[in-house]
Amino acid sequence: MKKLVLISCLTALTFSCKDKATQETKEKEITAENTIKKVPTKNEWTVLFDGSNLDNLKLYGNDNAIENWKIEGDALVFHPPTNRPKDTHYNLVSKKEYTNFVLSIDWKISEGGNSGIFWGIKDDGTYGQPYETGLEVQVLDNQKHPDAKNGTDRQAGALYDLVAPSKDATKPVGEWNTTVITINHNTNKGSSVLNGVTVAEFPLEGEEWNSLLENSKFNGWDGFAKYKTGKIGVQDHGDVVSYRNIKIKELN
C-alpha cells in the first residue's frame, strides 16, 4: 500500500513538473513574441510632418525659429511675407540628411502658384538656396503659372528643367495632390509619381544623366546634383502653398 501511495505521489509530481515546464515554455514564447513585435522592422516610414509639430524641420541656412510656415489643421502652409526683407527666403528643409529613399508628400498649390520638393540639398552655409544643389520635382498651377508655358519639363511632377512629365496628372487648383519620389543610387534610378501615375523616370548618374544636365539650365552649376546625401526640402517661391502627410522611407 505504501508503495502504491509513493508511486502515485511520484507520478503526480512528474506531471506537475511537466505542467510547470510547459507553462514556463509558453510564457517564454509569449515574451519572445512580444519582444519581436517591439523591434522596429527595416524600411519603416519616418514621419517628417503629420500636422502636430515641426520638430523634424528647419529653415534652410537658419537654425532660428521657423517663420512664415504655419500649422493649419493637419497642413503646413506657407504664407509669403507682405514686406519681405531683401535676399531673405524661407525654404524649409529636414534636419536629417538622406541618400536612398521613398518620399511621400501631399501638396496643394494656390491659384497661379509655384513651389517645389527638393532632395540632395547641401545646407552648410556654402550655398544661398536649396535649388543650387538639390534636384526638384515641380509643384505648380499648370494652368495659370507662367513657368508652365516655358516647357513641359517645368510643369507639376517634372524633374524640374530636366525630365518632363509623361502627362498632366494634377488635380484642380485647391485640391490635394500626392507626390511620391523614389531615389535609389544603388540602382541608379529615380522616379516621380503624381496621384498614382508615374510621370517621370530618370537616371541619377552616367551618360544619360550627363546629357540631361548639359541640355538644362543647370549645366555648369558648381554644386548642382553633386550630393548623393542631403536634406529634403520644400520651396518658398513667393506663393501660398500647403503640404501635409510628409513621410520618408529609407532604402538599404
Side-chain angles (χ1 to χ4, degrees):
M1 188 66 162
K2 288 182 178 179
K3 186 179 289 187
L4 289 173
V5 171
L6 180 60
I7 293 171
S8 298
C9 290
L10 288 172
T11 302
L13 181 62
T14 300
F15 280 109
S16 175
C17 290
K18 285 183 178 179
D19 290 343
K20 184 178 180 181
T22 302
Q23 181 63 28
E24 288 178 350
T25 300
K26 288 181 179 179
E27 289 176 355
K28 287 179 180 179
E29 288 175 351
I30 292 171
T31 302
E33 182 182 356
N34 291 341
T35 302
I36 290 170
K37 287 181 179 179
K38 290 177 182 178
V39 175
T41 58
K42 292 182 179 180
N43 298 333
E44 287 186 337
W45 289 100
T46 297
V47 175
L48 296 181
F49 175 77
D50 63 0
S52 61
N53 61 71
L54 301 173
D55 292 348
N56 295 315
L57 304 170
K58 64 179 287 293
L59 287 178
Y60 176 78
N62 190 337
D63 293 329
N64 296 326
I66 293 174
E67 298 180 60
N68 300 102
W69 292 89
K70 306 296 181 185
I71 297 177
E72 298 178 5
D74 63 348
L76 179 60
V77 185
F78 178 69
H79 295 281
T82 304
N83 298 309
R84 183 191 295 263
K86 186 178 180 181
D87 297 326
T88 301
H89 305 279
Y90 303 97
N91 302 290
L92 210 58
V93 297
S94 61
K95 290 182 178 178
K96 185 179 175 180
E97 293 186 331
Y98 300 91
T99 306
N100 300 311
F101 59 85
V102 179
L103 174 70
S104 179
I105 181 169
D106 297 343
W107 57 269
K108 180 170 63 174
I109 194 65
S110 56
E111 186 173 348
N114 187 338
S115 184
I117 305 163
F118 295 96
W119 67 93
I121 298 170
K122 191 68 173 177
D123 182 23
D124 65 352
T126 304
Y127 302 92
Q129 290 270 21
Y131 62 73
E132 293 181 59
T133 55
L135 288 144
E136 174 189 2
V137 163
Q138 178 76 300
V139 169
L140 198 76
D141 175 2
N142 285 345
Q143 304 303 314
K144 294 190 176 181
H145 194 280
D147 213 20
K149 313 304 179 185
N150 292 329
T152 53
D153 57 7
R154 297 189 174 198
Q155 295 182 1
L159 179 63
Y160 185 75
D161 207 57
L162 290 159
V163 179
S166 57
K167 63 177 293 186
D168 184 352
T170 56
K171 295 182 179 180
V173 168
E175 294 186 20
W176 285 102
N177 298 268
T178 298
T179 284
V180 178
I181 300 168
T182 300
I183 299 299
N184 193 335
H185 291 279
N186 296 326
T187 60
N188 194 30
K189 292 181 179 179
S191 66
S192 167
V193 176
L194 179 58
N195 297 323
V197 179
T198 302
V199 293
E201 295 179 291
F202 44 89
L204 303 171
E205 60 182 355
E207 291 184 10
E208 185 181 351
W209 168 253
N210 292 335
S211 178
L212 289 171
L213 192 59
E214 287 170 4
N215 290 288
S216 75
K217 64 180 283 185
F218 305 111
N219 188 26
W221 286 32
D222 177 59
F224 182 75
K226 294 294 193 301
Y227 302 96
K228 289 183 178 181
T229 299
K231 295 185 175 182
I232 307 295
V234 289
Q235 187 181 34
D236 158 19
H237 203 282
D239 301 309
V240 175
V241 63
S242 303
Y243 293 99
R244 69 180 185 186
N245 297 332
I246 308 175
K247 59 184 181 179
I248 192 165
K249 180 191 297 183
E250 293 189 77
L251 303 176
N252 294 332

